[in-house]
Amino acid sequence: MTKAESVQLMTDKMAKFVGHIGIKLPDDVIAKLSELREKETSPLAKTIYDTMFKNQEQAVALHRPSCQDTGVLQFWVKCGVNFPLIGELEALLKEAVVKATFATPLRHNSVETFDEYNTKRNVGKGTPTVFWDIVPDDDHCEIYAYMAGGGCTLPGKAMVLMPGAGYEGVTQFVMDQMTSYGLNACPPLLVGVGVATSVETAALLSKKALMRPLGSHNPNERAAQMEKLLEDGINAIGLGPQGMSGNYSVMGVHIENTARHPSTIGVAVNVGCWSHRRGHVIFDKDLNATVTTHSGVQL
Amino acid sequence: MVENRNGKKVLVTPISAEDLADIKIGDIVWLDGDLMTCRDVAHRRLVEGGRELPYDIRGKAIFHAGPIVRPIEGQKDAYEMVSVGPTTSMRMEKFEYEFTKTTGVRVIVGKGGMGPNTERACKECGAIHCVFPAGCAVVAATEVERIAEHHWDELGMPETLWCCKVKEFGPLIVSIDTQGRNMFEENKVTFNQKKDAAVAEICKHVSFIK
Ligand code: SF4
């Protein structure tokens, strides 16, 4: 294969994957939603869940995006330094989004700032956004693709607390966002929390947390304990499906953390909606693709 | 008209104020008949610009939504609904009292809560605001039987007034009823109380800085 052919091949595979993510939810999300659906008791919550599941089935049957807001694309890339297309990756991911946009179709969700016009291609300056992790001595490329919808992006918030505020302050910060904005972000939500030094470190972690598989825990024991406390606490609010009240509120709470400056606690929250469209794929150096999040997909 | 169909409460246009009198917040209803998409610019044109709607919605329903439609091949001026989901109703709050009073619309469908202007509109004019579950755009699209008319096309696809014929369109969850009660506002009070209790409980266990 020439380099150009390799680029084309990976572009096509990623375009297909992006389109698929818009139509079908990942296995872990479907399983969690089924579990939460079973635990609801009011006719209102049950009816909403029934509609949500019917929608996901029809989206697959009619091959249409399940939600009309197919978001702005974000890619979290973990790339080995010896992966053959490392240099071509950003450009080919952009091309893959354009391709998926017209093939699926996806909504045109890229508006150039200041000039304020829609590019009508679903890509623009810095969109899709690509976040990098470089792995030494490795020739694989792992990609998380995520569709960030408008409604579930809105509750995002970051701030820097003084250490005196402590983890109690972190708790209050996260919980306040749930009742002010979270309820309109199409619950049940996946809540990502970043704990670090400053706004940008915390914010990046809070989004990265949303890529983790549901049911996974932070390796730090206290952080994992706090994930559970927050999950139970937010569930106790009883936002229910669509924020219209019910027995549960969230699919999970994921905390990601780093060390911090002794004088600050940077904290951020990001949420994913019930239509949590994220997919994970691993390419080897010959561009064989393994999808880990969606069963039954061959790229 | 209200019909009880296999346990489903179906509102059939034209709808009267009496039809809605018994309907309360939290009820689930369905809609048969005329539903027109109508959002930001259309509200602005009517309320601020003083223009008349090109389609009579008296006794009918509007949908705060920006759909994806496509032309039906081989037919002239015919369109099919591909995907249609509710958009945040609060953006129309500012206009909804006057809009409802002027047009005689009975059912307003959207996403999330609305405020005092809409409460007043619903109470004075005998109308309701309902929520269609968001993220269920395929279900909504398949409940549209056909697009009968379309107006103000110059506004572009999302803002065009798409006048739809719908069949058992729903579930529609009543969020403001004809007494002006507002489910979102009432829920907010409970949610905040439960939040405060949850925060107090969590804080007992997270004193990691010692
Ligand atoms: S929050 Fe999610 S499910 Fe709701 S409308 Fe936005 S993208 Fe769709």
Side-chain angles (χ1 to χ4, degrees), chain A residues 161-177:
Chain A
L161 304 175
M162 290 194 209
Y167 292 82
E168 294 84 346
V170 171
T171 303
Q172 188 75 50
F173 173 82
V174 174
M175 298 296 279
D176 283 345
Q177 270 326 84

Side-chain angles (χ1 to χ4, degrees), chain A residues 68-150:
Chain A
Q68 79 284 352
D69 184 356
T70 46
V72 85
L73 264 298
Q74 301 182 333
F75 295 102
W76 295 82
V77 173
K78 198 168 157 191
C79 191
V81 283
N82 300 322
F83 182 68
L85 299 183
I86 188 168
E88 286 73 22
L89 207 53
E90 283 211 29
L92 80 78
L93 287 174
K94 195 169 211 161
E95 198 42 46
V97 172
V98 175
K99 213 172 161 209
T101 299
F102 291 100
T104 315
L106 306 178
R107 204 164 79 174
H108 301 166
N109 273 345
S110 235
V111 174
E112 289 296 356
T113 44
F114 291 101
D115 297 332
E116 291 301 320
Y117 67 91
N118 192 317
T119 64
K120 304 227 166 108
R121 282 159 51 83
N122 204 20
V123 297
K125 181 183 178 189
T127 60
T129 314
V130 182
F131 303 99
W132 285 90
D133 276 328
I134 302 289
V135 188
D137 295 326
D138 187 87
D139 58 10
H140 293 80
C141 179
E142 272 187 54
I143 303 174
Y144 276 104
Y146 177 67
M147 289 182 172

Side-chain angles (χ1 to χ4, degrees), chain B residues 34 36 53-57 60 149 151 161 163-165:
Chain B
D34 297 293
M36 181 183 84
L53 281 182
Y55 179 79
D56 186 12
I57 54 166
K60 300 176 183 171
E149 293 179 37
H151 301 278
L161 306 175
C163 308
C164 306
K165 297 284 177 193

Side-chain angles (χ1 to χ4, degrees), chain B residues 57-175:
Chain B
I57 54 166
R58 193 159 291 277
K60 300 176 183 171
I62 59 165
F63 192 13
H64 297 150
I68 303 175
V69 299
R70 71 176 157 222
I72 302 175
E73 266 178 61
Q75 291 183 35
K76 212 173 144 263
D77 199 33
Y79 293 88
E80 174 195 22
M81 193 61 83
V82 177
S83 161
V84 59
T87 189
T88 307
S89 287
M90 199 49 105
R91 293 205 310 273
M92 273 54 79
E93 160 66 11
K94 187 170 142 193
F95 306 112
E96 217 62 286
Y97 174 71
E98 225 166 300
F99 184 93
T100 309
K101 212 171 150 181
T102 316
T103 62
V105 67
R106 285 273 174 238
V107 179
I108 302 159
V109 184
K111 170 181 167 178
M114 294 190 76
N117 265 319
T118 313
E119 290 166 18
R120 183 170 162 220
C122 289
K123 201 170 168 178
E124 279 183 28
C125 311
I128 56 175
H129 176 260
C130 304
V131 169
F132 186 95
C136 299
V138 187
V139 167
T142 53
E143 288 168 352
V144 173
E145 286 189 314
R146 63 190 176 90
I147 297 174
E149 293 179 37
H150 54 98
H151 301 278
W152 287 354
D153 301 29
E154 70 278 10
L155 297 179
M157 189 192 287
E159 292 272 358
T160 295
L161 306 175
W162 300 100
C163 308
C164 306
K165 297 284 177 193
V166 298
K167 185 85 189 162
E168 291 193 10
F169 185 85
L172 303 176
I173 300 122
V174 180
S175 82

Side-chain angles (χ1 to χ4, degrees), chain A residues 43-44 47-48 51-52 54-56 58-59 62 64-68 105-107 151 163 166-169 171-172 175-176 179 183-186 222-223 225-226 229-230 233-234 236-240 242-246 260 265 274-275, chain B residues 26-28 30 66 68 70 80-87 111-113 131-143 170-171 173-175 183-184 187-188 190-192 194-196 198-199 201-203 205-210:
Chain A
L44 180 60
T47 306
I48 295 174
T51 312
M52 283 157 57
K54 183 172 163 197
N55 188 72
Q56 296 322 108
Q58 286 190 350
L62 298 171
R64 294 183 190 176
S66 58
C67 177
Q68 79 284 352
L106 306 178
R107 204 164 79 174
Y167 292 82
E168 294 84 346
T171 303
Q172 188 75 50
M175 298 296 279
D176 283 345
T179 46
L183 84 164
N184 283 324
C186 293
R222 285 177 169 178
Q225 182 198 350
M226 189 149 174
L229 287 166
L230 285 170
I234 303 168
I237 299 173
L239 295 178
Q242 300 286 336
M244 304 199 70
S245 83
R260 62 177 180 86
I265 305 176
W274 76 269
S275 196
Chain B
D27 286 358
I28 300 166
W30 310 75
I68 303 175
R70 71 176 157 222
E80 174 195 22
M81 193 61 83
V82 177
S83 161
V84 59
T87 189
K111 170 181 167 178
V131 169
F132 186 95
C136 299
V138 187
V139 167
T142 53
E143 288 168 352
I173 300 122
V174 180
S175 82
M183 171 153 118
F184 279 88
N187 278 349
K188 236 182 232 171
T190 342
F191 289 158
N192 278 320
K194 290 184 180 168
K195 177 190 73 182
D196 291 343
V199 169
E201 178 58 32
I202 297 171
C203 287
H205 308 282
V206 295
S207 310
F208 303 136
I209 304 179
K210 288 201 174 100

